[in-house]
Amino acid sequence: MLHYAIVFFVIALIAAFFGFSGIAAGAVSIGKILFFVFLVLAVVSLLLGRRPVP
């Protein structure tokens, strides 16, 4: 998931460099969503992984 977020941010940087602002804005928004989904899943995984087994 984090890999895809980084890929979309790189795509946004390349698109912004070449002047495609619409594509860059779309890629940035997708990258942000993927990054926050990754953060939520990482925190949930961390919390559930530390739970002792009865």
Side-chain angles (χ1 to χ4, degrees):
M1 181 88 49
L2 184 60
H3 174 71
Y4 292 127
I6 293 170
V7 167
F8 274 103
F9 284 132
V10 169
I11 290 171
L13 286 174
I14 292 170
F17 179 74
F18 287 116
F20 298 111
S21 59
I23 295 172
V28 166
S29 64
I30 292 171
K32 277 187 201 179
I33 291 169
L34 288 175
F35 180 72
F36 287 122
V37 168
F38 164 76
L39 283 180
V40 169
L41 291 177
V43 169
V44 168
S45 175
L46 180 69
L47 292 176
L48 292 179
R50 300 181 135 243
R51 187 177 55 173
V53 179

